[in-house]
């Protein structure tokens, strides 16, 4: 007993000696934080997340190494939030409105025609942030940053001039709002992750969607579709969350580094999203697509449908939802 204790203590002494000769930081155990992302590595959100990761790794002197895993390769998009909540991974990125089925408040950014520009989307985010942070905090999640997608428009493989023209079209949806939009326009919704849409369009499983020029561009959608109508329906957000227990066991110094990197990432990601808007619409055109604003008739019909969907959302989101809209309107 005494002998083994001696062995242990001499091992510890040897270890410390070795550590000192290497320099303590040389043996400090780096934590690896695997960070699942739902979208492809080339997407601007994923590029921003990778830069955020390097910023944290550099800023913490290698104590926390963030490794991003794009395209749902580590955890599928729909499972990322649960994986972070339960501590399967410490950190991850997800489309916020993907959680509307849990709580309508998460869909604040997909209310049709409420915020249709980057400036308004930013104001709406400021109005919604406290509620979102609180809702996430109740689920063991700490919000780090959030970045908007470019404005959402409609993709088709034929010319569309009215809602009647959409009847019976198979439609790819990515959250409750987009499923509801399909239903109200007579289309047939199927939920498909962005990482899987190239194949879904190529095989004809779906033939239409609402999304940004960015997603169509990333997925080379011109190989399957012909028209993009700029509707500017809303600008949904991706957000980065960290498991709160992991966060609480992170040193204050490292938390400060992470917060700083997050602020930088939100700024850089938003800037990229703006730049990417024109760039990707030009890319769709270069791919041979017709890219234009929806005609007045179609736009008016969509506004009516949007009003129905707004009323539905306000009903589902209750007083918290109304407070977000009121505070957003007060900023106008
Ligand atoms: N792209 C994502 C969400 C919004 C967007 O522009 C997608 O289509 O899944």
């Amino acid at each position: 007993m005494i002998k083994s204790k001696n062995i242990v203590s001499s091992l510890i002494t040897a270890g410390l000696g070795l550590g000192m000769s290497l320099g303590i930081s040389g043996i400090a155990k780096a934590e690896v934080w695997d960070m699942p992302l739902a979208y492809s590595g080339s997407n601007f959100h994923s590029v921003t997340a990778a830069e955020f990761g390097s910023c944290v790794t550099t800023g913490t002197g290698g104590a926390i190494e963030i490794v991003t895993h794009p395209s749902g390769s580590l955890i599928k998009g729909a499972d990322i939030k649960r994986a972070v909540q339960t501590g399967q991974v410490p950190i991850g990125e997800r489309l916020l409105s993907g959680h509307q089925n849990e709580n309508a408040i998460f869909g604040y950014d997909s209310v049709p025609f409420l915020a249709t520009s980057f400036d308004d989307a930013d104001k709406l985010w400021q109005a919604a942030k406290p509620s979102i942070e609180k809702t996430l905090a109740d689920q063991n999640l700490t919000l780090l940053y959030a970045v908007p997608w470019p404005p959402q428009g409609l993709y088709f493989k034929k010319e569309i001039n009215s809602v009647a023209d959409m009847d019976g079209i198979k439609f790819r949806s990515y959250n409750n709002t987009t499923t509801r939009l399909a239903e109200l326009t007579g289309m047939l919704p199927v939920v498909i992750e962005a990482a899987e849409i190239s194949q879904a369009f190529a095989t004809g499983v779906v033939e239409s969607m609402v999304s940004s020029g960015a997603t169509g561009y990333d997925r080379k959608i011109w190989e399957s579709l012909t028209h993009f109508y700029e509707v500017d329906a809303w600008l949904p957000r991706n957000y980065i969350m960290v498991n709160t227990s992991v966060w609480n066991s992170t040193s204050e110094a490292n938390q400060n580094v992470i917060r700083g990197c997050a602020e930088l990432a939100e700024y850089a990601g938003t800037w990229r999203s703006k730049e990417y808007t024109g760039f990707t619409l030009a890319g769709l055109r270069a791919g041979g697509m017709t890219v234009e604003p929806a005609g007045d008739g179609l736009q008016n019909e969509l506004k009516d449908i949007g009003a129905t969907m707004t009323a539905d959302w306000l009903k589902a989101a209750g007083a918290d939802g109304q407070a977000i809209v009121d505070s957003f309107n007060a900023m106008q």
Side-chain angles (χ1 to χ4, degrees), residues 184-202:
L184 291 170
T185 50
M187 294 194 277
L188 310 169
V190 189
V191 178
I192 298 172
E193 282 292 323
E196 273 132 40
I197 61 181
S198 302
Q199 201 185 347
F201 280 103

Side-chain angles (χ1 to χ4, degrees), residues 14-146:
L16 279 179
L18 185 66
M20 279 172 184
S21 64
L22 287 175
I24 288 297
S25 66
I27 58 156
K29 231 177 105 215
E31 277 180 47
V32 174
W33 284 15
D34 284 310
M35 179 175 183
L37 315 172
Y39 300 92
S40 66
S42 62
N43 177 269
F44 72 92
H45 286 289
S46 304
V47 173
T48 303
E51 278 180 9
F52 163 75
S54 321
C55 175
V56 171
T57 304
T58 309
T60 61
I64 297 174
E65 186 191 343
I66 295 191
V67 180
T68 57
H69 300 271
S71 298
S73 57
L74 183 66
I75 311 266
K76 288 214 179 310
D79 301 327
I80 291 176
K81 175 164 171 278
R82 175 136 297 276
V84 180
Q85 252 178 292
T86 57
Q88 193 184 342
V89 286
I91 190 168
E93 180 191 51
R94 183 56 182 153
L95 180 75
L96 187 62
S97 59
H99 316 314
Q100 266 172 287
N101 46 352
E102 280 177 34
N103 187 332
I105 215 76
F106 288 128
Y108 89 91
D109 63 12
S110 302
V111 178
F113 307 114
L114 180 57
T116 60
S117 64
F118 279 98
D119 277 357
D120 276 355
D122 184 53
K123 287 178 188 155
L124 187 57
W125 172 232
Q126 297 313 324
K129 203 170 163 184
S131 289
I132 299 291
E133 271 182 323
K134 177 164 185 327
T135 310
L136 291 172
D138 290 344
Q139 303 181 340
N140 198 34
L141 294 170
T142 299
L143 172 74
L144 289 181
Y145 71 86

